[in-house]
């Protein structure tokens, strides 16, 4: 009985792999969802991961840079895709992004002063142009780029406390440009689109500490602080 079950599983697995290979990589594959992307407008959703960093520019030369420790966050959102031309689409991909960064100030003598945790919950609004290549079987690579604006729900921008009280503050709204690439994989029932993008902030998001509290070793020497990130999304249409 056990041998029969194992044999059956092997047959099913071989058959499944053979069908997948025929659909995706054979010389004459079965074309899935042939007319799907001829629609004027279609929708989808995505799940993914992110790694956010800060690009910090200083007013004066420093002996040691502020160290940024990155963590892996997650993304979830929806996609609206408008077909402009056979190879060009306009995409709106609003989503919720969560990330965390730790800032280490190496010149601070006390432990409570040299670490600042920056937890961010973003509502992300990217408007992108997608440039697709000619479809080959059930595969269609593409590049994507555009602008985005982001609302940080964890910015602490309205807090009267600053770093002197252990509160790191950033602006609630920021802007960035994004560039990336991906691939549309057409299955029998849906399109799976893994992609990777870089996001590069163009606006300074740091809120300086209150001058009334005296000189600030945390923010006074920072000329600009801009977010940048790597975004990996898995989109389903």
């Amino acid at each position: 009985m056990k041998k029969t079950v194992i044999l059956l599983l092997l047959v099913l697995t071989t058959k499944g792999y053979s069908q997948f290979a025929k659909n995706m990589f054979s010389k004459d594959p079965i074309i899935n969802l042939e007319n799907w992307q001829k629609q004027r407008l279609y929708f989808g959703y995505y799940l993914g991961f992110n790694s956010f960093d800060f690009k910090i520019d200083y007013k004066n030369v420093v002996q040691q840079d502020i160290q940024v420790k990155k963590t892996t966050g997650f993304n979830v959102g929806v996609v609206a895709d408008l077909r402009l031309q056979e190879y060009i689409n306009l995409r709106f991909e609003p989503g919720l992004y969560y990330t965390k960064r730790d800032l280490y100030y190496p010149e601070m003598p006390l432990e409570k002063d040299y670490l600042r945790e920056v937890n961010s919950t973003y509502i992300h609004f990217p408007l992108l142009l997608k440039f697709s290549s000619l479809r080959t079987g059930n595969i269609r690579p593409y590049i994507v780029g555009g602008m985005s604006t982001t609302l940080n729900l964890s910015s602490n921008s309205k807090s009267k406390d600053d770093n002197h009280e252990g509160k790191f503050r950033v602006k609630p709204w920021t802007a960035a440009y994004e560039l990336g690439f991906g691939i549309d994989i057409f299955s029998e029932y849906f399109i799976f689109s893994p992609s990777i993008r870089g996001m590069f902030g163009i606006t300074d998001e740091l809120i300086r500490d209150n001058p009334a509290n005296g000189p600030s070793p945390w923010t006074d020497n920072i000329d600009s602080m801009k977010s940048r990130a790597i975004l990996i999304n898995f989109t389903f249409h």
Side-chain angles (χ1 to χ4, degrees):
M1 180 64 180
K2 186 176 180 181
K3 291 183 179 180
T4 303
V5 173
I6 293 174
L7 182 61
L8 181 61
L9 289 174
L10 286 173
V11 170
L12 291 174
T13 301
T14 304
K15 184 178 180 181
Y17 176 78
S18 176
Q19 184 69 23
F20 176 79
K22 183 178 181 181
N23 288 344
M24 293 294 174
F25 305 113
S26 68
K27 186 176 180 180
D28 187 21
I30 298 173
I31 302 301
N32 297 321
L33 302 176
E34 187 172 2
N35 296 315
W36 176 273
Q37 290 190 323
K38 293 180 181 179
Q39 300 177 80
R40 181 68 173 170
L41 179 67
Y42 60 91
F43 301 92
Y45 68 91
Y46 63 86
L47 306 169
F49 305 96
N50 64 65
S51 178
F52 274 77
D53 193 2
F54 280 123
K55 181 180 185 298
I56 302 174
D57 294 319
Y58 302 95
K59 295 178 181 177
N60 302 308
V61 177
V62 295
Q63 292 183 349
Q64 298 185 68
D65 290 339
I66 299 170
Q67 303 299 313
V68 183
K69 180 183 178 182
K70 299 170 287 186
T71 59
T72 301
F74 66 88
N75 325 320
V76 59
V78 295
V79 178
D81 189 296
L82 177 64
R83 184 173 181 265
L84 301 179
Q85 191 262 351
E86 184 177 359
Y87 301 104
I88 304 175
N89 295 61
L90 181 66
R91 293 169 70 89
F92 182 50
E93 301 184 359
L96 181 68
Y97 288 54
Y98 175 78
T99 189
K100 179 178 181 292
R101 286 158 287 188
D102 292 333
L103 300 180
Y104 292 93
Y105 290 81
E107 297 180 2
M108 294 293 185
L110 300 178
E111 183 177 352
K112 68 180 182 66
D113 292 331
Y114 76 68
L115 172 62
R116 287 294 179 264
E117 295 181 356
V118 185
N119 295 294
S120 300
T121 302
Y122 293 122
I123 300 180
H124 191 55
F125 302 99
L127 188 63
L128 309 168
L129 281 174
K130 175 185 176 184
F131 300 90
S132 301
S133 70
L134 183 67
R135 177 172 172 172
T136 304
N138 290 308
I139 301 295
R140 193 178 195 187
Y142 63 86
I143 59 174
V144 66
M147 302 296 296
S148 62
T149 184
T150 302
L151 172 62
N152 187 352
L153 301 179
S154 308
S155 65
N156 295 321
S157 60
K158 295 183 179 180
S159 174
K160 294 183 179 179
D161 293 336
D162 60 16
N163 280 292
H164 292 90
E165 289 80 29
K167 186 76 70 174
F168 193 88
R169 302 177 300 170
V170 292
K171 298 172 184 176
W173 287 97
T174 55
Y177 68 92
E178 302 186 20
L179 296 170
F181 63 91
I183 184 169
D184 288 332
I185 302 173
F186 296 80
S187 72
E188 188 175 355
Y189 302 106
F190 61 88
I191 301 172
F192 174 56
S193 299
S195 66
I196 182 169
R197 291 206 304 270
M199 189 190 83
F200 307 92
I202 57 177
T203 55
D204 178 26
E205 59 190 274
L206 179 66
I207 295 178
R208 273 68 184 175
D209 292 336
N210 300 318
N213 292 331
S216 171
W218 298 277
T219 65
D220 282 358
N221 194 38
I222 295 178
D223 187 49
S224 69
M225 177 180 282
K226 302 172 183 177
S227 284
R228 55 188 179 183
I230 295 175
L231 312 174
I232 299 174
N233 286 332
F234 303 98
T235 305
F236 300 85
H237 296 290

